Amino acid sequence: MMKKSLQAIFLLSLVSFTYSFPLSTNKRWIINAATEQRVKLACVNWPAHLQPMLAEGLDKKPLGEIVAPVVKMHFNCVRLTWSTFMFTRPNYGHISVSQTLDSLDLKEAKQGISKNNPFILNMTHIQAYEAVVGELGAQGIMVLLDNHISKPDWCCSNTDGNGFFGDGYFDPNEWMKGLSFVADRFKEKRQVVAISLRNELRGPRQNEPDWNKYISEGARVVHKRNPHVLVFVSGLNFDLDLSFLQKRPLALDLDNKLVYEIHWYSFSQDQNMWKTQPTNIVCNKVTQSFINRAVFLTTCKNPAPLVLSEFGFDQREVNLADNLYMTCLMAYAAETDLDWALWALQGSYYLRGGLKGAEETFGALDSTWQHPRNPNFLERLRFLQRKTHVPTTSRTRTSYIIFHPLSGNCVNANARNELYARNRGPFSRWSYGGDGAPIRLMGRSLCLKVVGDGLPPMLSNDCQSKQSAWSLVSSSKLHLATKDDEHGGELLCLQISIWTESLRFERAIQEKNLASQSLQGPIQIQDWADRQRAHYLQPSA
């Protein structure tokens, strides 16, 4: 199947990955409170907030065998969701899992749990939730407890009664009672490193004064009950918007525990534009919107960490807009080294929207919970799971890694100065002085040089020629090209084959010419994208 794709390569710094507890913040970074070293959150969402009030998948595999793939897939934390009523109303959280499954007529789910996790059935929902948190901790996974909804159900809509303070199921006092209970209940669980106040505030009642009032009160409740956890704060409009904080910042002192969260999906804006407009233009547009809505919080007068707590796509890769959006997002996430949480782990649900056993095509696991749904995507994700930025000092030296988000590979050089692509470290380090400068291999007096269209790149000591000078060529500011003066001066870009992992140069199509074309159908768009070969480089500290 032909695919419209966003091809890109860029440079990043690299450091090793470690973490420990408790966590704190230092400006835009989440850090180990004891060592002050950066800790990067590379999480996956695991829902437990739907009507069965139970972490999904316990009917498919033993609990330990669900957590083990989380580790194997290289996630270091889980955003585990919960509903307010489960912790505030005895007729929800204090009844047994078995009773709830019976009330929902989930016979197959109950049979599966009886086979795989029989000890769960006679537990209360709170006890079962604690068992999941315990197993995550036992296998070295950090946990973010996310208050996803008030009344257990699928989330979200503007009219479900769970959207904003004062809605039918969203009493602010009951919400704060739930936050207090959870903060206190899990304060001795060292693996619980953060509590999220609320997922996706939304609906016709939403307004900034009430947001400010209740978010401040809820944050103080959590911090008072458990001063060790990070407190995650979400924005408005389904957690797509924190821009209102540019006018009136949140006046909240949590002793370096405040973290903001934001969501970003292909449908967060007009999804159709990915199919009808040039990819680089759309990528630039949505990325800049993301920066304006949230990323400013990491660079403002009093910066704080920002976590992309939900992103994801149909991992069957049948949705063109999803596929393009994901490559664009991965490029930006790698450039800025965002902390993040993928939606989602689960391959299926006990009950979603009235459908028993509903499949989750965004899930990292397939519907049987036995295998990864899309192993290739997990390989692409590997680089984003690494920590590439650290808090800088005046003595910090910047180096770069060349990364290709469509394949997840990086450009490396071996001892014979041959170039190759791979997604595992150690990675070659490069230097780059900006527009029109050469890309130099650090430690050797060599730079990346164009040879010709369709030919593999080479390392050369000729770093002064135009064939070694790299410049921005797209509106997304992600793609770089160099001129092949020996063959007509055409722009050539570095490309990595996602199938063979080989490197070669290919002719770039100028975006200004493409943008003026009349794109009438998917064949034209796909044909352009398959021919569009470019790369980009971005500095990091």
Side-chain angles (χ1 to χ4, degrees):
M1 176 180 177
M2 297 179 66
K3 297 180 182 178
K4 184 180 180 183
S5 60
L6 178 62
Q7 306 279 3
I9 299 176
F10 66 103
L11 296 175
L12 293 168
S13 64
L14 180 65
V15 292
S16 61
F17 170 76
T18 59
Y19 68 89
S20 62
F21 316 106
L23 303 183
S24 187
T25 67
N26 175 13
K27 297 182 179 178
R28 68 152 288 192
W29 308 108
I30 295 171
I31 62 171
N32 176 340
T35 66
E36 298 187 352
Q37 297 297 306
R38 188 198 169 191
V39 175
K40 178 174 181 176
L41 300 183
C43 313
V44 65
N45 281 271
W46 189 1
H49 66 273
L50 281 81
Q51 287 175 278
M53 294 180 288
L54 186 66
E56 302 292 339
L58 297 179
D59 58 334
K60 302 295 185 181
K61 295 180 70 175
L63 175 56
E65 294 181 21
I66 294 176
V67 176
V70 175
V71 179
K72 188 176 181 180
M73 291 186 290
H74 304 282
F75 298 105
N76 67 2
C77 80
V78 161
R79 182 177 182 246
L80 187 66
T81 67
W82 56 278
S83 60
T84 300
F85 288 5
M86 193 173 82
F87 291 99
T88 59
R89 301 191 180 189
N91 59 325
Y92 283 81
H94 291 182
I95 63 174
S96 72
V97 171
S98 180
Q99 287 176 285
T100 297
L101 295 174
D102 287 342
S103 71
L104 296 171
D105 193 30
L106 295 175
K107 294 183 178 67
E108 289 188 15
K110 185 176 180 179
Q111 290 173 357
I113 294 171
S114 178
K115 174 184 175 182
N116 291 296
N117 297 283
F119 65 98
I120 290 288
L121 287 175
N122 291 325
M123 285 183 167
T124 67
H125 289 281
I126 293 175
Q127 291 170 338
Y129 193 85
E130 288 179 315
V132 173
V133 172
E135 184 61 32
L136 288 166
Q139 297 199 37
I141 299 293
M142 294 181 284
V143 183
L144 161 60
L145 304 180
D146 169 63
N147 178 228
H148 211 74
I149 202 166
S150 293
K151 182 183 179 183
D153 209 340
W154 175 248
C155 177
C156 301
S157 80
N158 279 315
T159 59
D160 59 12
N162 290 279
F164 198 70
F165 308 107
D167 279 1
Y169 303 119
F170 197 169
D171 175 71
N173 292 324
E174 184 176 15
W175 168 71
M176 282 187 274
K177 179 182 176 183
L179 290 175
S180 178
F181 184 98
V182 169
D184 186 66
R185 183 93 175 194
F186 292 94
K187 66 183 177 183
E188 301 301 327
K189 305 290 186 182
R190 295 179 66 250
Q191 67 269 35
V192 176
V193 298
I195 294 177
S196 173
L197 298 183
R198 188 69 171 195
N199 174 71
E200 296 195 355
L201 293 163
R202 60 197 180 276
R205 297 179 62 93
Q206 64 181 331
N207 64 87
E208 294 170 24
D210 282 347
W211 181 93
N212 197 301
K213 169 183 168 61
Y214 291 118
I215 287 295
S216 297
E217 291 179 9
R220 293 189 183 102
V221 164
V222 170
H223 188 58
K224 180 179 180 180
R225 286 291 184 177
N226 186 347
H228 300 296
V229 294
L230 301 174
V231 179
F232 277 46
V233 169
S234 65
L236 298 172
N237 296 318
F238 294 86
D239 198 17
L240 300 177
D241 188 12
L242 286 156
S243 63
F244 55 94
L245 293 176
Q246 295 185 60
K247 298 178 180 178
R248 184 186 177 189
L250 190 61
L252 193 60
D253 183 4
L254 298 181
D255 302 315
N256 298 317
K257 297 293 185 179
L258 175 63
V259 176
Y260 292 99
E261 60 177 308
I262 192 74
H263 295 174
W264 183 6
Y265 290 98
S266 67
F267 48 80
S268 296
Q269 294 174 275
D270 178 17
Q271 193 179 54
N272 193 53
M273 63 183 170
W274 287 105
K275 304 174 185 179
T276 59
Q277 300 178 34
T279 306
N280 287 315
I281 292 176
V282 176
C283 183
N284 178 50
K285 184 185 302 183
V286 299
T287 300
Q288 191 58 53
S289 173
F290 181 69
I291 293 170
N292 295 340
R293 288 183 285 109
V295 179
F296 71 91
L297 290 163
T298 67
T299 59
C300 60
K301 182 179 179 181
N302 296 303
L306 176 72
V307 175
L308 180 60
S309 59
E310 280 190 29
F311 75 103
F313 76 134
D314 187 333
Q315 293 201 27
R316 298 171 300 175
E317 297 192 29
V318 296
N319 185 311
L320 176 63
D322 265 2
N323 299 342
L324 298 175
Y325 136 86
M326 182 54 68
T327 301
C328 177
L329 180 148
M330 289 182 68
Y332 184 76
E335 176 192 351
T336 55
D337 201 16
L338 281 172
D339 298 83
W340 49 263
L342 176 72
W343 186 275
L345 174 65
Q346 69 279 5
S348 64
Y349 298 89
Y350 308 116
L351 180 68
R352 172 181 164 177
L355 180 62
K356 299 175 183 178
E359 184 175 6
E360 175 55 271
T361 60
F362 280 47
L365 296 175
D366 65 17
S367 60
T368 69
W369 292 67
Q370 298 292 330
H371 309 286
R373 181 178 298 277
N374 187 336
N376 290 333
F377 173 67
L378 292 176
E379 283 296 308
R380 288 175 63 194
L381 203 61
R382 284 292 298 275
F383 187 82
L384 294 189
Q385 292 169 320
R386 304 182 70 100
K387 179 172 58 177
T388 59
H389 288 42
V390 294
T392 60
T393 69
S394 59
R395 304 177 68 178
T396 301
R397 183 183 181 187
T398 299
S399 62
Y400 301 84
I401 297 167
I402 306 178
F403 174 61
H404 181 242
L406 188 61
S407 66
N409 289 315
C410 297
V411 177
N412 298 283
N414 62 24
R416 298 186 298 275
N417 295 327
E418 297 167 335
L419 294 168
Y420 64 97
R422 64 181 293 178
N423 70 349
R424 313 289 171 87
F427 300 112
S428 295
R429 297 173 183 244
W430 308 78
S431 66
Y432 179 62
D435 204 37
I439 301 171
R440 299 177 183 270
L441 180 62
M442 296 185 69
R444 308 179 209 177
S445 56
L446 300 171
C447 60
L448 199 60
K449 184 178 180 180
V450 67
V451 179
D453 185 21
L455 299 176
M458 66 176 291
L459 289 172
S460 170
N461 56 16
D462 178 15
C463 298
Q464 303 304 316
S465 73
K466 292 183 179 180
Q467 290 174 274
S468 300
W470 297 83
S471 301
L472 293 165
V473 295
S474 71
S475 62
S476 65
K477 297 182 173 62
L478 298 177
H479 297 70
L480 288 170
T482 187
K483 285 188 176 181
D484 181 11
D485 279 349
E486 294 183 4
H487 299 86
E490 62 185 0
L491 288 174
L492 295 180
C493 300
L494 183 61
Q495 167 64 7
I496 297 177
S497 169
I498 61 174
W499 307 114
T500 65
E501 300 183 354
S502 60
L503 288 83
R504 67 183 183 276
F505 283 102
E506 291 194 5
R507 185 182 300 110
I509 295 177
Q510 293 190 34
E511 187 176 74
K512 63 181 180 180
N513 294 333
L514 173 71
S516 66
Q517 295 177 6
S518 175
L519 303 181
Q520 299 294 334
I523 294 178
Q524 288 178 300
I525 298 173
Q526 291 169 348
D527 178 61
W528 160 75
D530 284 344
R531 291 159 51 213
Q532 173 70 32
R533 309 299 182 193
H535 76 280
Y536 66 93
L537 307 106
Q538 291 292 345
S540 65

